[in-house]
Short mmCIF file of all heavy atoms in Angstrom, two decimals:
data_model
loop_
_atom_site.label_atom_id
_atom_site.label_comp_id
_atom_site.label_asym_id
_atom_site.label_seq_id
_atom_site.Cartn_x
_atom_site.Cartn_y
_atom_site.Cartn_z
N GLU A 139 10.78 6.42 5.14
CA GLU A 139 10.72 4.96 5.20
C GLU A 139 11.41 4.32 4.00
O GLU A 139 12.00 3.24 4.13
CB GLU A 139 9.28 4.49 5.31
CG GLU A 139 8.73 4.67 6.71
CD GLU A 139 7.30 4.19 6.87
OE1 GLU A 139 6.64 3.87 5.85
OE2 GLU A 139 6.85 4.14 8.02
N ALA A 140 11.35 4.96 2.85
CA ALA A 140 12.05 4.42 1.68
C ALA A 140 13.56 4.37 1.94
O ALA A 140 14.22 3.36 1.64
CB ALA A 140 11.74 5.26 0.45
N TYR A 141 14.10 5.42 2.51
CA TYR A 141 15.54 5.45 2.79
C TYR A 141 15.90 4.57 3.98
O TYR A 141 17.00 4.01 4.03
CB TYR A 141 16.03 6.89 2.97
CG TYR A 141 15.99 7.63 1.66
CD1 TYR A 141 15.00 8.57 1.40
CD2 TYR A 141 16.90 7.35 0.65
CE1 TYR A 141 14.94 9.23 0.18
CE2 TYR A 141 16.84 7.99 -0.56
CZ TYR A 141 15.87 8.94 -0.80
OH TYR A 141 15.81 9.57 -2.01
N LEU A 142 14.98 4.43 4.91
CA LEU A 142 15.20 3.51 6.03
C LEU A 142 15.34 2.08 5.51
O LEU A 142 16.22 1.33 5.97
CB LEU A 142 14.05 3.61 7.04
CG LEU A 142 14.12 2.66 8.22
CD1 LEU A 142 15.35 2.95 9.09
CD2 LEU A 142 12.85 2.77 9.06
N GLN A 143 14.52 1.70 4.56
CA GLN A 143 14.60 0.35 3.99
C GLN A 143 15.94 0.14 3.28
O GLN A 143 16.53 -0.94 3.38
CB GLN A 143 13.44 0.10 3.02
CG GLN A 143 12.09 0.01 3.70
CD GLN A 143 12.06 -1.01 4.82
OE1 GLN A 143 12.53 -2.13 4.69
NE2 GLN A 143 11.53 -0.61 5.97
N GLN A 144 16.43 1.15 2.58
CA GLN A 144 17.74 1.03 1.93
C GLN A 144 18.84 0.84 2.97
O GLN A 144 19.73 0.02 2.80
CB GLN A 144 18.02 2.25 1.08
CG GLN A 144 17.20 2.32 -0.18
CD GLN A 144 17.54 3.55 -1.02
OE1 GLN A 144 18.53 4.22 -0.80
NE2 GLN A 144 16.70 3.83 -2.01
N ALA A 145 18.76 1.59 4.05
CA ALA A 145 19.76 1.48 5.11
C ALA A 145 19.71 0.11 5.77
O ALA A 145 20.74 -0.49 6.07
CB ALA A 145 19.57 2.59 6.15
N LEU A 146 18.51 -0.41 5.98
CA LEU A 146 18.37 -1.74 6.57
C LEU A 146 18.93 -2.82 5.65
O LEU A 146 19.49 -3.81 6.11
CB LEU A 146 16.91 -2.02 6.92
CG LEU A 146 16.35 -1.22 8.10
CD1 LEU A 146 14.86 -1.43 8.23
CD2 LEU A 146 17.07 -1.57 9.38
N SER A 147 18.80 -2.62 4.34
CA SER A 147 19.38 -3.60 3.42
C SER A 147 20.91 -3.55 3.47
O SER A 147 21.57 -4.59 3.34
CB SER A 147 18.86 -3.39 1.99
OG SER A 147 19.42 -2.23 1.42
N ILE A 148 21.48 -2.37 3.70
CA ILE A 148 22.94 -2.26 3.86
C ILE A 148 23.37 -2.99 5.13
O ILE A 148 24.37 -3.73 5.13
CB ILE A 148 23.39 -0.78 3.91
CG1 ILE A 148 23.09 -0.07 2.59
CG2 ILE A 148 24.88 -0.68 4.24
CD1 ILE A 148 23.28 1.44 2.65
N VAL A 149 22.62 -2.82 6.22
CA VAL A 149 22.93 -3.51 7.47
C VAL A 149 22.89 -5.02 7.25
O VAL A 149 23.78 -5.75 7.71
CB VAL A 149 21.96 -3.09 8.60
CG1 VAL A 149 22.10 -4.00 9.81
CG2 VAL A 149 22.19 -1.65 9.00
N ASN A 150 21.88 -5.51 6.54
CA ASN A 150 21.77 -6.95 6.27
C ASN A 150 22.95 -7.44 5.44
O ASN A 150 23.49 -8.52 5.69
CB ASN A 150 20.45 -7.27 5.57
CG ASN A 150 19.27 -7.10 6.48
OD1 ASN A 150 19.39 -7.17 7.70
ND2 ASN A 150 18.10 -6.87 5.89
N GLU A 151 23.36 -6.66 4.46
CA GLU A 151 24.51 -7.03 3.63
C GLU A 151 25.78 -7.10 4.47
O GLU A 151 26.58 -8.02 4.31
CB GLU A 151 24.67 -6.00 2.51
CG GLU A 151 25.74 -6.33 1.50
CD GLU A 151 25.82 -5.29 0.40
OE1 GLU A 151 24.76 -4.81 -0.05
OE2 GLU A 151 26.95 -4.96 -0.01
N LEU A 152 25.95 -6.15 5.38
CA LEU A 152 27.13 -6.16 6.25
C LEU A 152 27.10 -7.32 7.24
O LEU A 152 28.14 -7.91 7.54
CB LEU A 152 27.27 -4.82 6.97
CG LEU A 152 27.62 -3.63 6.08
CD1 LEU A 152 27.48 -2.32 6.85
CD2 LEU A 152 29.01 -3.77 5.49
N ASP A 153 25.91 -7.67 7.72
CA ASP A 153 25.78 -8.85 8.60
C ASP A 153 26.17 -10.12 7.85
O ASP A 153 26.86 -10.98 8.41
CB ASP A 153 24.34 -8.99 9.11
CG ASP A 153 24.05 -8.13 10.32
OD1 ASP A 153 25.01 -7.70 10.98
OD2 ASP A 153 22.86 -7.88 10.59
N LEU A 154 25.74 -10.23 6.62
CA LEU A 154 26.11 -11.38 5.79
C LEU A 154 27.62 -11.44 5.60
O LEU A 154 28.23 -12.51 5.71
CB LEU A 154 25.39 -11.32 4.44
CG LEU A 154 25.73 -12.42 3.45
CD1 LEU A 154 25.27 -13.77 3.98
CD2 LEU A 154 25.09 -12.13 2.11
N LEU A 155 28.22 -10.29 5.34
CA LEU A 155 29.67 -10.24 5.16
C LEU A 155 30.40 -10.65 6.43
O LEU A 155 31.39 -11.39 6.38
CB LEU A 155 30.10 -8.82 4.73
CG LEU A 155 31.59 -8.60 4.50
CD1 LEU A 155 32.13 -9.55 3.44
CD2 LEU A 155 31.85 -7.15 4.12
N LYS A 156 29.91 -10.21 7.59
CA LYS A 156 30.51 -10.62 8.86
C LYS A 156 30.45 -12.13 9.02
O LYS A 156 31.41 -12.76 9.48
CB LYS A 156 29.84 -9.93 10.04
CG LYS A 156 30.30 -8.51 10.23
CD LYS A 156 29.63 -7.72 11.33
CE LYS A 156 29.05 -8.42 12.48
NZ LYS A 156 28.43 -7.52 13.47
N GLY A 157 29.35 -12.72 8.64
CA GLY A 157 29.21 -14.17 8.71
C GLY A 157 30.19 -14.87 7.79
O GLY A 157 30.79 -15.89 8.15
N GLN A 158 30.39 -14.32 6.59
CA GLN A 158 31.35 -14.90 5.64
C GLN A 158 32.77 -14.80 6.19
O GLN A 158 33.57 -15.73 6.03
CB GLN A 158 31.24 -14.21 4.29
CG GLN A 158 29.96 -14.52 3.55
CD GLN A 158 29.80 -13.69 2.28
OE1 GLN A 158 30.33 -12.59 2.18
NE2 GLN A 158 29.06 -14.21 1.33
N ILE A 159 33.09 -13.68 6.81
CA ILE A 159 34.43 -13.50 7.40
C ILE A 159 34.63 -14.52 8.51
O ILE A 159 35.69 -15.16 8.59
CB ILE A 159 34.62 -12.06 7.91
CG1 ILE A 159 34.72 -11.09 6.73
CG2 ILE A 159 35.87 -11.95 8.79
CD1 ILE A 159 34.73 -9.63 7.12
N MET A 160 33.63 -14.70 9.38
CA MET A 160 33.75 -15.67 10.47
C MET A 160 33.92 -17.09 9.92
O MET A 160 34.72 -17.87 10.44
CB MET A 160 32.55 -15.58 11.40
CG MET A 160 32.54 -14.32 12.25
SD MET A 160 31.07 -14.13 13.27
CE MET A 160 31.11 -15.61 14.24
N THR A 161 33.18 -17.42 8.87
CA THR A 161 33.31 -18.73 8.26
C THR A 161 34.71 -18.94 7.69
O THR A 161 35.31 -20.01 7.87
CB THR A 161 32.26 -18.90 7.14
OG1 THR A 161 30.96 -18.74 7.70
CG2 THR A 161 32.38 -20.25 6.47
N THR A 162 35.24 -17.91 7.05
CA THR A 162 36.60 -18.00 6.50
C THR A 162 37.61 -18.18 7.63
O THR A 162 38.53 -19.00 7.52
CB THR A 162 36.93 -16.75 5.67
OG1 THR A 162 35.99 -16.66 4.59
CG2 THR A 162 38.33 -16.81 5.10
N GLU A 163 37.45 -17.42 8.71
CA GLU A 163 38.37 -17.56 9.85
C GLU A 163 38.32 -18.97 10.43
O GLU A 163 39.36 -19.55 10.75
CB GLU A 163 38.02 -16.53 10.94
CG GLU A 163 38.36 -15.11 10.59
CD GLU A 163 37.88 -14.10 11.62
OE1 GLU A 163 36.90 -14.38 12.34
OE2 GLU A 163 38.51 -13.03 11.70
N GLU A 164 37.11 -19.52 10.55
CA GLU A 164 36.97 -20.88 11.07
C GLU A 164 37.60 -21.90 10.12
O GLU A 164 38.24 -22.86 10.56
CB GLU A 164 35.50 -21.20 11.32
CG GLU A 164 34.90 -20.44 12.47
CD GLU A 164 33.39 -20.57 12.57
OE1 GLU A 164 32.78 -21.31 11.75
OE2 GLU A 164 32.81 -19.93 13.46
N GLN A 165 37.42 -21.68 8.83
CA GLN A 165 38.00 -22.58 7.83
C GLN A 165 39.52 -22.55 7.91
O GLN A 165 40.17 -23.60 7.89
CB GLN A 165 37.53 -22.17 6.43
CG GLN A 165 38.12 -22.98 5.31
CD GLN A 165 37.74 -22.43 3.94
OE1 GLN A 165 37.12 -21.38 3.83
NE2 GLN A 165 38.13 -23.14 2.91
N ILE A 166 40.09 -21.38 8.03
CA ILE A 166 41.55 -21.24 8.13
C ILE A 166 42.04 -21.89 9.42
O ILE A 166 43.05 -22.60 9.42
CB ILE A 166 41.96 -19.75 8.06
CG1 ILE A 166 41.53 -19.13 6.74
CG2 ILE A 166 43.45 -19.58 8.30
CD1 ILE A 166 41.99 -19.85 5.51
N SER A 167 41.32 -21.67 10.49
CA SER A 167 41.70 -22.26 11.77
C SER A 167 41.69 -23.79 11.70
O SER A 167 42.60 -24.45 12.19
CB SER A 167 40.76 -21.76 12.86
OG SER A 167 41.08 -22.35 14.09
N MET A 168 40.67 -24.36 11.08
CA MET A 168 40.59 -25.81 10.95
C MET A 168 41.72 -26.34 10.07
O MET A 168 42.32 -27.38 10.37
CB MET A 168 39.23 -26.23 10.38
CG MET A 168 38.11 -26.03 11.38
SD MET A 168 36.43 -26.56 10.91
CE MET A 168 36.44 -26.78 9.19
N THR A 169 42.04 -25.61 9.00
CA THR A 169 43.14 -26.03 8.12
C THR A 169 44.46 -25.99 8.87
O THR A 169 45.27 -26.92 8.78
CB THR A 169 43.20 -25.12 6.87
OG1 THR A 169 41.94 -25.15 6.21
CG2 THR A 169 44.29 -25.56 5.93
N LEU A 170 44.68 -24.93 9.63
CA LEU A 170 45.92 -24.83 10.42
C LEU A 170 45.99 -25.92 11.48
O LEU A 170 47.07 -26.47 11.74
CB LEU A 170 46.03 -23.44 11.05
CG LEU A 170 46.28 -22.28 10.08
CD1 LEU A 170 46.22 -20.95 10.83
CD2 LEU A 170 47.61 -22.44 9.36
N ASP A 171 44.85 -26.24 12.10
CA ASP A 171 44.82 -27.33 13.08
C ASP A 171 45.18 -28.66 12.43
O ASP A 171 45.93 -29.46 13.01
CB ASP A 171 43.44 -27.43 13.74
CG ASP A 171 43.16 -26.31 14.71
OD1 ASP A 171 44.12 -25.60 15.10
OD2 ASP A 171 41.98 -26.12 15.08
N ALA A 172 44.66 -28.89 11.25
CA ALA A 172 44.96 -30.14 10.53
C ALA A 172 46.45 -30.22 10.20
O ALA A 172 47.07 -31.27 10.35
CB ALA A 172 44.12 -30.24 9.27
N ILE A 173 47.04 -29.12 9.76
CA ILE A 173 48.47 -29.09 9.45
C ILE A 173 49.28 -29.34 10.72
O ILE A 173 50.25 -30.12 10.71
CB ILE A 173 48.85 -27.75 8.79
CG1 ILE A 173 48.23 -27.65 7.40
CG2 ILE A 173 50.36 -27.60 8.71
CD1 ILE A 173 48.34 -26.27 6.78
N ARG A 174 48.89 -28.69 11.81
CA ARG A 174 49.59 -28.89 13.10
C ARG A 174 49.50 -30.35 13.53
O ARG A 174 50.50 -30.95 13.95
CB ARG A 174 48.99 -28.00 14.17
CG ARG A 174 49.75 -28.10 15.50
CD ARG A 174 48.98 -27.55 16.67
NE ARG A 174 47.81 -28.41 16.89
CZ ARG A 174 46.60 -27.97 17.16
NH1 ARG A 174 46.35 -26.70 17.25
NH2 ARG A 174 45.59 -28.81 17.33
N ASN A 175 48.33 -30.95 13.37
CA ASN A 175 48.16 -32.35 13.76
C ASN A 175 49.03 -33.27 12.91
O ASN A 175 49.60 -34.24 13.41
CB ASN A 175 46.69 -32.76 13.67
CG ASN A 175 45.85 -32.11 14.74
OD1 ASN A 175 46.37 -31.62 15.75
ND2 ASN A 175 44.54 -32.08 14.53
N ARG A 176 49.15 -32.98 11.61
CA ARG A 176 50.03 -33.78 10.75
C ARG A 176 51.48 -33.66 11.19
O ARG A 176 52.21 -34.64 11.21
CB ARG A 176 49.89 -33.35 9.29
CG ARG A 176 48.69 -33.98 8.61
CD ARG A 176 48.71 -33.72 7.12
NE ARG A 176 47.46 -33.05 6.81
CZ ARG A 176 47.29 -32.08 5.96
NH1 ARG A 176 48.31 -31.62 5.28
NH2 ARG A 176 46.12 -31.53 5.77
N LEU A 177 51.89 -32.43 11.52
CA LEU A 177 53.28 -32.23 11.98
C LEU A 177 53.52 -32.97 13.29
O LEU A 177 54.59 -33.58 13.48
CB LEU A 177 53.57 -30.74 12.15
CG LEU A 177 53.71 -29.93 10.87
CD1 LEU A 177 53.81 -28.44 11.18
CD2 LEU A 177 54.90 -30.39 10.06
N LEU A 178 52.57 -32.93 14.21
CA LEU A 178 52.71 -33.66 15.47
C LEU A 178 52.79 -35.16 15.22
O LEU A 178 53.58 -35.88 15.85
CB LEU A 178 51.55 -33.34 16.41
CG LEU A 178 51.55 -31.96 17.04
CD1 LEU A 178 50.24 -31.72 17.80
CD2 LEU A 178 52.74 -31.78 17.96
N TYR A 179 52.01 -35.65 14.28
CA TYR A 179 52.02 -37.07 13.94
C TYR A 179 53.37 -37.45 13.36
O TYR A 179 53.94 -38.49 13.72
CB TYR A 179 50.88 -37.39 12.96
CG TYR A 179 50.89 -38.80 12.50
CD1 TYR A 179 50.48 -39.83 13.35
CD2 TYR A 179 51.30 -39.15 11.20
CE1 TYR A 179 50.48 -41.15 12.93
CE2 TYR A 179 51.32 -40.46 10.78
CZ TYR A 179 50.90 -41.46 11.66
OH TYR A 179 50.91 -42.76 11.24
N ILE A 180 53.91 -36.62 12.47
CA ILE A 180 55.22 -36.91 11.86
C ILE A 180 56.31 -36.89 12.92
O ILE A 180 57.22 -37.72 12.90
CB ILE A 180 55.51 -35.89 10.73
CG1 ILE A 180 54.57 -36.14 9.55
CG2 ILE A 180 56.96 -35.95 10.28
CD1 ILE A 180 54.62 -35.10 8.48
#
Side-chain angles (χ1 to χ4, degrees):
E139 283 181 351
Y141 290 105
L142 177 63
Q143 292 306 313
Q144 288 181 12
L146 290 172
S147 72
I148 296 170
V149 169
N150 290 337
E151 185 178 320
L152 291 170
D153 277 341
L154 177 65
L155 180 58
K156 281 177 26 180
Q158 290 173 333
I159 289 173
M160 288 176 58
T161 301
T162 300
E163 288 175 334
E164 290 170 2
Q165 177 186 6
I166 299 306
S167 178
M168 289 184 344
T169 304
L170 291 174
D171 287 346
I173 292 170
R174 184 196 66 223
N175 290 342
R176 278 190 237 141
L177 288 172
L178 288 172
Y179 176 73
I180 290 172

